[in-house]
Amino acid sequence: MKYIYIITILASVNAIACTTFASFNGENNSFIMAKNRDNNPDNQVIEVVAQPNKFKYLALSRKDVPDFVSVGVNEHNLAVFNEVTIEYSNKATGGIADDFSKDILQNYTTATAVIPDIPKLIKKYPDPVFYQVSDGLNLLSIEVAPNHKYQYSITTAGSFAHTNNYQESQLIKNYPYTTSEKQRLTNSQTRYNRALNLLNSESKINLVAMQNIGLDRNAGNDDSIFRTGANPTPRTSKSLAFFVVELNKHDSTVIQANLYSVGEKYQYILAPSFWQSYASGITILKPNSK
């Protein structure tokens, strides 16, 4: 059935958008990273995955594609976020779950430990994708381009944002933008700049502040961080979910999620007792927050 997912990706990629934003200036010296997931409507879930000889993880996923990870954090407090690309989107040939987010969650405990294995991960999943990996001390940003090309950077302080365009200019040198890609680029840069401006206006950021950024509608229906879609039709790409993870140096990781499309909210403290509750398989969690 993999070919079905490939067709879906190719048919809708021009409308897909996401905004990721993070700060090392969280309350109580925490690191906080959040994402608005934008897409055409689908059946989203919050799930815990526990497989033999692999690290357990919690993720924003899809009920029909449980290997898909939009955002995730594992039992060692390593978080992984990702976004699709504007540039080279026609080079993406894999299915919706064909990136290495899950591989990182199941096999790594720190962001820097991923760096030596980036070529190996790209060899397995070569599609152009953006990744952010953080353990609360380091934020590793990886930008993958066609032909196994990539660049990475490390952020250790301040604010960070990523949307759907490449920030490493050498990966898109002389890229031939189409008219529609130019419009998407403008949209992406607008969300990127707005997220950074909102982050930098706060001295100590908490989970409520991050959700407020996720709900920002400053630039209208289709250019804002919170996207309602240009047309009020069921298949219009819009903000479907918000997910935030707070990584604390001296306390348990906290996640909150808001599935905008179905009005479900989640909050979990990822203490050792949380992970011990899940022995094997895939468990879809129930909303437990207001």
Side-chain angles (χ1 to χ4, degrees), residues 279-290:
S280 63
I282 297 173
T283 304
I284 296 177
L285 303 185
K286 295 181 179 179
N288 65 347
S289 183
K290 295 182 179 180

Side-chain angles (χ1 to χ4, degrees), residues 159-234:
S159 302
F160 174 91
H162 209 295
T163 48
N164 301 100
N165 60 285
Y166 284 83
Q167 296 179 8
E168 298 287 351
S169 59
Q170 59 186 307
L171 292 176
I172 51 169
K173 186 177 181 180
N174 300 320
Y175 181 83
Y177 288 96
T178 65
T179 300
S180 62
E181 286 175 336
K182 288 179 180 178
Q183 180 57 50
R184 290 187 64 211
L185 176 63
T186 299
N187 170 288
S188 181
Q189 291 175 325
T190 297
R191 288 181 284 110
Y192 170 82
N193 290 327
R194 179 64 173 170
L196 282 181
N197 287 337
L198 291 173
L199 286 172
N200 291 332
S201 69
E202 302 276 351
S203 57
K204 290 294 182 181
I205 298 178
N206 57 26
L207 299 177
V208 173
M210 295 296 271
Q211 173 64 102
N212 288 339
I213 293 174
L215 291 171
D216 183 77
R217 306 187 187 195
N218 180 69
N221 290 344
D222 222 32
D223 294 338
S224 297
I225 296 173
F226 185 86
R227 302 174 71 241
T228 58
N231 300 300
T233 57

